């Protein structure tokens, strides 16, 4: 039996099981690190009754993923009060005394989709979430891409025409990066209304699709993914998929000669199949990886 923690900035989702068929979950709001982790640890203990083999954590960030670093497993420079330099993975390992796998929330979701969802049998794909922020996980050559730290795909630059869109952007670090222009809160600030309250014929959605398609075009051209999964609260607007696909095809303009982005775009930019459970299921994959690693050592 594996345990999973999806550590989000607003809520935690914990789960135990081996996959979608037997997953049992619990969710609760994120408060202080101590109080939040106490609930998570108690849930895992109670549900597993000594059968727990390993735990996987998919966390909001930025986080330290370098296994040789002194602060491996920490949440690092987050603006979230109380969570700066918090030893998330270490706290769970010390409390439960099992191997702990640790990765970003979006990497965990990508792993869940790779195992059970919309990215099965792919070696190269992206999982993006467009919600409170914009985050992306990349699986490249069958492995999660970490690199220097981990990708921060939401913070890339896209063309911003100030005549068309005078909103300066809401990212505290970069102003009008993609997240600053196209996250849920950015939409709310620009239009004075929560994204979910904007009607589907509102010009907000044309602009939103335009920005997201620019992001996608950049990732298609740099990472060459075989598929792109788009999740998060903002993509609950199903009509966005058609607009984004159309804009993406227009931006690529026939240059990337693959049927996936020319003829089969409807299967190229898709929603995650596991919905809101991708992250917590991905945590089980991280747990399994941590367990197998220990086995080999
Ligand atoms: P988080 O990013 O915190 O994990 P979500 O992915 O649900 O959570 O993202 C929250 C954002 O998504 C908010 O900015 C909210 O306005 C927006 N959102 C939630 N539901 C919808 C919806 N049905 N349509 C459009 N936007 C939505
Ligand atoms: Zn930014």
């Amino acid at each position: 039996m594996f345990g999973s923690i999806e550590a989000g900035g607003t809520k935690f989702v914990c789960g135990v099981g081996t996959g979608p068929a037997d997953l049992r979950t619990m969710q609760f709001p994120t408060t202080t690190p101590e109080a939040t982790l106490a609930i998570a640890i108690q849930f895992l203990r109670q549900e597993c009754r000594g059968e727990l083999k390993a735990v996987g954590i998919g966390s909001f960030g930025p986080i330290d993923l370098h296994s040789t670093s002194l602060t491996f497993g920490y949440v690092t420079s987050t603006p979230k009060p109380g969570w700066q330099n918090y030893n998330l993975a270490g706290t769970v390992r010390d409390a439960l005394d099992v191997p702990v796998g640790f990765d970003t929330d979006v990497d965990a979701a990508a792993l869940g989709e790779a195992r059970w969802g919309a990215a099965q049998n792919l070696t190269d794909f992206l999982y993006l979430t467009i919600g409170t922020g914009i985050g992306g996980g990349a699986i490249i050559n069958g492995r999660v891409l970490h690199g220097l730290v981990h990708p921060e795909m939401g913070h890339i630059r896209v063309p911003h025409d100030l005549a068309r869109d005078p909103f300066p952007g809401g990212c505290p670090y970069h102003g009008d990066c993609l997240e600053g222009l196209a996250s849920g809160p950015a939409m709310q600030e620009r239009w004075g209304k929560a994204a979910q309250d904007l009607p589907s014929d509102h010009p907000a959605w044309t602009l939103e699709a335009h920005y997201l398609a620019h992001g996608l075009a950049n990732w298609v051209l740099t990472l060459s993914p075989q598929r792109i999964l788009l999740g998060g609260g903002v993509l609950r607007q199903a009509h966005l998929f058609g607009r984004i696909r159309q804009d993406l095809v227009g931006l690529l303009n026939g240059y990337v000669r693959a049927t996936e982005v020319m003829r089969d775009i409807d299967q190229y930019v898709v929603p995650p199949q596991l919905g809101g459970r991708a992250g917590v299921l991905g945590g089980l994959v991280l747990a399994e990886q941590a367990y197998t690693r220990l086995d080999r050592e």
Side-chain angles (χ1 to χ4, degrees), residues 4-296:
S4 166
I5 300 175
E6 183 185 4
T10 49
K11 69 173 195 293
F12 264 51
V13 185
C14 297
V16 295
T18 58
D22 65 357
L23 180 74
R24 296 196 301 278
T25 63
M26 173 172 108
Q27 84 176 52
F28 46 93
T30 308
T31 57
T32 64
E34 292 74 22
T36 312
L37 266 295
I39 301 172
I41 287 161
Q42 196 203 356
F43 170 80
L44 295 177
R45 266 205 194 111
Q46 226 166 36
E47 291 291 316
C48 288
R49 302 174 187 283
E51 302 283 301
L52 187 67
K53 287 198 180 118
V55 176
I57 305 173
S59 176
F60 71 101
I63 58 180
D64 187 343
L65 293 176
H66 282 288
S67 54
T68 54
S69 158
L70 283 176
T71 52
F72 169 72
Y74 281 55
V75 177
T76 57
S77 54
T78 175
K80 195 168 171 57
W83 286 83
Q84 288 100 359
N85 305 313
Y86 179 68
N87 186 0
L88 178 52
T91 301
V92 173
R93 194 180 41 238
D94 291 349
L96 296 168
D97 197 28
V98 291
V100 171
F102 188 60
D103 214 316
T104 65
D105 44 7
V106 278
D107 285 345
L111 288 169
E113 289 289 333
R115 175 72 67 87
W116 294 294
Q120 292 175 60
N121 306 315
L122 299 181
T123 53
D124 298 82
F125 72 94
L126 309 180
Y127 176 97
L128 275 300
T129 177
I130 295 92
T132 306
I134 297 183
I139 304 279
I140 301 295
N141 291 329
R143 293 180 53 137
V144 176
L145 177 66
H146 286 164
L148 182 67
V149 183
H150 50 74
E152 287 284 5
M153 298 174 61
H155 296 268
I156 63 168
R157 301 284 176 171
V158 293
H160 179 197
D161 177 356
L162 279 161
R164 179 179 178 191
D165 174 24
F167 177 62
C171 176
Y173 287 88
H174 319 110
D176 61 354
C177 65
L178 181 62
E179 176 172 302
L181 290 172
S183 67
M187 294 193 76
Q188 168 143 17
E189 236 189 286
R190 179 189 292 109
W191 303 106
K193 236 186 204 184
Q196 58 268 35
D197 298 330
L198 295 165
S200 59
D201 60 354
H202 194 284
W205 298 115
T206 313
L207 191 66
E208 182 69 4
H210 166 85
Y211 286 136
L212 294 176
H214 270 282
L216 264 56
N218 287 334
W219 299 317
V220 170
L221 296 166
T222 48
L223 297 168
S224 205
Q226 297 160 310
R227 187 169 295 156
I228 300 178
L229 279 49
L230 297 180
V234 174
L235 265 295
R236 265 177 235 152
Q237 302 286 324
H239 59 87
L240 264 180
F241 280 92
R243 301 174 196 251
I244 294 168
R245 289 173 188 138
Q246 194 182 356
D247 286 0
L248 174 61
V249 170
L251 286 167
L252 295 175
N253 199 24
Y255 187 70
V256 177
R257 315 239 17 121
T259 53
E260 284 85 345
V261 290
M262 300 182 80
R263 207 190 59 209
D264 302 331
I265 194 74
D266 290 357
Q267 281 89 57
Y268 187 73
V269 178
V270 298
Q273 253 170 33
L274 304 174
R277 298 206 305 170
V280 70
L281 284 165
L284 297 182
V285 179
L286 286 169
E288 188 188 283
Q289 288 175 352
Y291 184 73
T292 321
R293 232 179 352 257
L294 188 83
D295 235 22
R296 266 191 269 116

